[in-house]
Amino acid sequence: MLVQAFAFYLFAGILVLSALMVITARNPVHSVLFLILGFFNSSGLFVLLGAEFIGMIMVIVYVGAVAVLFLFVVMMLDIDFANLRQGAMQYVPVGIIIGGILLFELVALYTSWHFAPDIAGNLDVPDSGFAEVTNTEALGLVLYTKYVAAFQLAGLILFVAMVGAIVLTHRVRPGVRRQKVSVQQARSPDDVLEIVKVAPKTGV
Amino acid sequence: MNDFDIVPLVPEIFMAMMGMGFLLVGVLQGNRATSVLIWASCVMLFITAVLTMNFDWDRPPTMNAMFILDEFAGSMKLIILLGLIASLALSNEYLQQERIARFEYPVIMIFAGIGMMLMVSATNMLSLYMALELQSLSLYVLAAFYRNSLKSAEAASKYFILGALSSGMLLFGISLIYGYSGSIDFATIKTSISGLEQIPPGFIVGMVFLLAGLAFKISAVPFHMWTPDVYQGAPSSVTAFFAIVPKVAAMGLLMRLCLDVFEPATEQWQQILYFLAVASLIVGSFAAIAQDNLKRLMAYSSIGNMGYILIGLVVASPEGAGAVLYFLLIYVFMTAGVFAIILTMRRDGLATVSIGDLAGLSQNNPILAYAMAILMFSLSGIPPLAGFFGKLFIFRAAIEQEFYILAVIGLLASVVAAYYYLRIVKVMFFDEPADKFDNIMGFERRAVLLISTAFVIGYIFAPSLVFDFAMSAVSSLFL
């Protein structure tokens, strides 16, 4: 128990600190690296909760793909972040006031929270019955059965995203020489090669 | 899962298959196939409408209670399909003229249509969100379709950022509702709050966030800031689409949530929607006065019209809900007609959208001018045109339920709105003629304009037809 509490405070503390560093670091590359640190710590928190699948997905998707993408963008595009951030400080007081109000409201809400009386019976996927299987197995048991419609719909959304990305970025440029495999393969040596016998010391 | 019954989803599955097929045709044939694909999509959507009509509209929820095909969903789907066909038909010629005819256009529109059709039949927060995102994502792409225009890119990025924000609010609201009730299923959520003396504050906050997210989608004030910019920046044919269809779907979603799921919390959501309705009416009518751009004007006009529609929803009676559906249908017809004219406004091959360009249209092109005048009279609610009846039933429903102040505000707003609608008529008929338009008007646009004007005028001869359709549609929300 003590180990768990220690691990929680370790992960949570580093997470909050690194989140703070993401928005305060001067160098954008440092920001992204702190972001990655934050992702790792939050995945540690998920593992502590017993949600190991989400924890691993967190590392694979956010660290492996999203953060690395950020890093590439930051390094490839020469964006002057210091310049972008100029003048942002004048919004800090307003931001703190609004954030404070929101925080106060949410704290008030959560401290007075109560659940529906029959909440245990309402759960779409009952809590029991998954004790002996792993997270991944439990997700697999419902993802392709109960939630197959939503799963297919997610596929459609990704499809639209793909088509949309191509529509918005793909341009047909004139004069681009493309590789034509069929033409390449249809070439025969007889058409394009000429073998010339050159006698020594005569030249062609 | 015992309710694995894909029959109610067959229209959407058919649309998805055909959409992918069209994409394949486009990839093989290139952009010259665009025109053919748009025609094919219109035919396909018509077949989908016939399919939808042929199913029994009285089914229990299906696919783990994710979707339902009831009277309401079926009727809303028909209206959505009608709007989709109209906006596709309007697009064809415009895309060619602007040289942005890419074959993905009809395909993305079809996928937006699938999202909208699923939105109105969603009975689960998960399917609601997925359908909403499918729709929104397609709309963001369409807004940016005019790639070489800076305005279009600006419109799309504004729409995308604010849309993502609203989706965030929606999800936060859903999470609070789930936190209270322990379920994302509509029926379970409803039972978890019914019979309570007091709706718990956590649930109300969740509902507020959810409604705020949806208010963005129907561009109700104060969540309307994106509308004029997006309407102005997007290609006109896309603006027509934005004005005609997505509002219908988002309104359908809002109606199902408010009148069915949140029915035990009626008093609470009424306050929110009351405010949204009044603010939309006021902003929609006053802000439009200063507009010179017809597309921006139509944006404010749609905000104002959402105000009227919200009145019908606030009264929370079957008559009010029927009036909402009725108004939506008439609105679809009127807006399609107006955009058929806006898309025809081209001078020397370039599109013009300012009101001043319409000057003296009655002399240059009397038919177009009279059609526009009829549509404007109808939008401002002058009897005996269709728009008048839409407002009449909304106000009647409000007065029946003793929402007198709301009805009076609505009436005053429609007086103010009459000014800017009639100003267009004045400019067309009494101002010095400007240069002539190119007067190129293809078959599709003529057909849309003819049908819409005929509907607006001829509506008076068979009013009960539309009214019965609307009333039977909402009957499934009040069981």
Side-chain angles (χ1 to χ4, degrees):
Chain A
M1 219 48 222
L2 192 70
V3 179
Q4 277 188 9
F6 176 74
F8 171 77
Y9 285 112
L10 184 73
F11 285 139
I14 297 178
L15 176 59
V16 172
L17 281 181
S18 58
L20 206 64
M21 288 304 287
V22 170
I23 53 169
T24 51
R26 285 201 172 275
N27 189 333
V29 177
H30 293 173
S31 287
V32 177
L33 290 175
F34 275 113
L35 193 66
I36 294 174
L37 183 64
F39 285 142
F40 267 113
N41 282 288
S42 53
S43 102
L45 286 177
F46 276 119
V47 173
L48 271 185
L49 279 172
E52 74 271 1
F53 182 74
I54 300 180
M56 293 306 124
I57 285 290
M58 201 68 192
V59 173
I60 295 169
V61 174
Y62 283 94
V63 179
V66 177
V68 171
L69 199 71
F70 277 166
L71 206 56
F72 269 116
V73 171
V74 166
M75 293 200 298
M76 306 277 264
L77 300 179
D78 187 22
I79 302 172
D80 190 357
F81 283 92
N83 209 4
L84 277 180
R85 214 177 278 158
Q86 246 172 20
M89 284 307 281
Q90 58 178 323
Y91 299 114
V92 167
V94 184
I96 288 177
I97 291 171
I98 292 179
I101 293 172
L102 203 62
L103 186 70
F104 173 75
E105 284 176 346
L106 286 181
V107 168
L109 190 65
Y110 283 117
T111 46
S112 68
W113 191 268
H114 62 276
F115 296 100
D118 47 354
I119 187 163
N122 285 350
L123 295 178
D124 203 27
V125 180
D127 211 10
S128 58
F130 291 115
E132 59 278 1
V133 298
T134 62
N135 268 211
T136 323
E137 224 176 321
L139 277 174
L141 282 176
V142 291
L143 188 58
Y144 305 111
T145 53
K146 284 188 106 166
Y147 297 111
V148 67
F151 182 75
Q152 293 290 338
L153 208 47
L156 276 189
I157 294 175
L158 291 177
F159 182 69
V160 168
M162 189 180 74
V163 174
I166 294 171
V167 169
L168 297 183
T169 54
H170 176 72
R171 280 165 203 275
V172 183
R173 291 198 193 84
V176 175
R177 288 170 184 274
R178 285 170 179 254
Q179 185 181 20
K180 289 179 185 149
V181 179
S182 56
V183 176
Q184 285 178 344
Q185 288 184 336
R187 269 162 77 104
S188 87
D190 304 340
D191 304 336
V192 286
L193 275 185
E194 189 188 353
I195 295 175
V196 184
K197 294 254 187 220
V198 183
K201 294 184 182 171
T202 54
V204 183
Chain B
M1 186 167 60
N2 306 321
D3 56 353
F4 190 87
D5 175 17
I6 62 165
V7 172
L9 293 178
V10 162
E12 285 87 350
I13 295 172
F14 172 69
M15 275 171 86
M17 299 276 211
M18 293 304 278
M20 287 178 213
F22 290 161
L23 190 72
L24 208 60
V25 173
V27 169
L28 294 174
Q29 294 294 318
N31 288 332
R32 64 205 141 114
T34 310
S35 195
V36 178
L37 282 182
I38 288 180
W39 275 107
S41 309
C42 286
V43 174
M44 187 275 284
L45 291 170
F46 182 74
I47 296 172
T48 315
V50 174
L51 265 179
T52 314
M53 268 191 279
N54 275 322
F55 285 124
D56 172 20
W57 283 1
D58 190 18
R59 289 166 174 278
T62 173
M63 307 300 264
N64 189 29
M66 290 261 178
F67 299 104
I68 192 171
L69 183 62
D70 53 3
E71 281 280 335
F72 179 70
S75 318
M76 287 308 263
K77 281 179 189 186
L78 289 186
I79 302 181
I80 289 168
L81 286 169
L82 183 79
L84 272 172
I85 293 174
S87 38
L88 267 169
L90 285 176
S91 305
N92 195 4
E93 202 182 358
Y94 180 83
L95 293 177
Q96 308 288 348
Q97 285 165 337
E98 294 286 318
R99 297 175 204 291
I100 47 171
R102 295 173 58 102
F103 64 86
E104 290 96 343
Y105 186 91
V107 174
I108 296 175
M109 234 181 215
I110 289 170
F111 280 101
I114 297 172
M116 289 187 261
M117 288 180 48
L118 292 176
M119 266 163 82
V120 293
S121 62
T123 53
N124 188 305
M125 290 293 179
L126 184 63
S127 52
L128 176 156
Y129 180 69
M130 296 300 246
L132 193 69
E133 279 305 292
L134 178 59
Q135 183 238 200
S136 315
L137 204 63
S138 316
L139 297 190
Y140 304 145
V141 176
L142 284 175
F145 212 80
Y146 204 157
R147 288 192 312 191
N148 296 328
S149 146
L150 204 60
K151 277 241 160 100
S152 180
E154 184 202 332
S157 44
K158 254 183 200 164
Y159 192 25
F160 177 67
I161 291 169
L162 289 174
L165 186 72
S166 83
S167 290
M169 287 202 276
L170 192 94
L171 278 179
F172 186 60
I174 292 175
S175 78
L176 286 175
I177 290 173
Y178 175 70
Y180 169 74
S181 65
S183 177
I184 48 173
D185 177 47
F186 283 2
T188 321
I189 291 172
K190 189 177 176 184
T191 34
S192 81
I193 51 165
S194 53
L196 294 180
E197 276 176 29
Q198 199 190 354
I199 305 293
F203 188 89
I204 296 174
V205 174
M207 197 171 73
V208 172
F209 273 100
L210 186 61
L211 292 181
L214 284 178
F216 172 88
K217 305 286 177 200
I218 58 164
S219 68
V221 179
F223 305 99
H224 68 290
M225 291 82 78
W226 58 277
T227 322
D229 293 340
V230 172
Y231 276 40
Q232 187 185 5
S236 297
S237 65
V238 175
T239 311
F241 174 59
F242 281 4
I244 297 170
V245 208
K247 302 260 164 98
V248 178
M251 207 62 213
L253 193 55
L254 201 58
M255 281 171 81
R256 188 186 292 283
L257 276 176
C258 288
L259 298 173
D260 188 13
V261 185
F262 296 152
E263 188 265 327
T266 301
E267 270 178 41
Q268 280 77 16
W269 62 254
Q270 261 179 341
Q271 293 174 2
I272 305 164
L273 293 192
Y274 196 109
F275 170 74
L276 290 180
V278 171
S280 306
L281 284 170
I282 292 173
V283 171
S285 50
F286 281 97
I289 292 176
Q291 301 305 325
D292 189 46
N293 184 313
L294 263 175
K295 279 158 83 181
R296 282 186 89 86
L297 184 94
M298 285 311 287
Y300 283 109
S301 155
S302 85
I303 294 172
N305 277 313
M306 284 303 129
Y308 297 113
I309 289 173
L310 283 172
I311 294 180
L313 188 50
V314 167
V315 300
S317 66
E319 287 76 27
V324 168
L325 210 83
Y326 182 78
F327 194 104
L328 274 174
L329 186 62
I330 295 174
Y331 173 77
V332 166
F333 272 102
M334 291 191 299
T335 319
V338 172
F339 272 98
I341 295 172
I342 293 179
L343 288 167
T344 311
M345 293 170 56
R346 303 182 75 83
R347 201 167 277 152
D348 304 327
L350 290 173
T352 56
V353 282
S354 91
I355 293 176
D357 289 319
L358 282 171
L361 190 67
S362 61
Q363 290 169 37
N364 292 336
N365 191 340
I367 298 177
L368 214 57
Y370 279 103
M372 185 72 157
I374 288 167
L375 290 169
M376 285 297 144
F377 281 130
S378 176
L379 273 170
S380 55
I382 288 170
L385 300 171
F388 164 73
F389 291 96
K391 285 181 182 170
L392 175 73
F393 285 116
I394 294 265
F395 293 143
R396 200 177 69 177
I399 286 168
E400 267 173 11
Q401 301 292 317
E402 302 182 341
F403 282 90
Y404 297 120
I405 300 174
L406 207 52
V408 170
I409 294 173
L411 274 176
L412 291 178
S414 75
V415 173
V416 178
Y419 165 75
Y420 63 78
Y421 290 130
L422 298 185
R423 183 163 69 113
I424 296 177
V425 177
K426 176 234 162 203
V427 167
M428 285 190 306
F429 283 85
F430 303 112
D431 279 12
E432 283 297 307
D435 294 339
K436 283 190 179 183
F437 291 135
D438 293 351
N439 278 336
I440 308 168
M441 203 173 184
F443 165 74
E444 308 95 329
R445 228 178 265 165
R446 280 168 203 268
V448 171
L449 185 59
L450 185 73
I451 292 172
S452 110
T453 352
F455 177 84
V456 166
I457 300 172
Y459 173 76
I460 181 97
F461 298 112
S464 60
L465 213 63
V466 183
F467 193 68
D468 292 346
F469 169 76
M471 287 313 287
S472 72
V474 295
S475 63
S476 64
L477 291 179
F478 294 91
L479 289 177

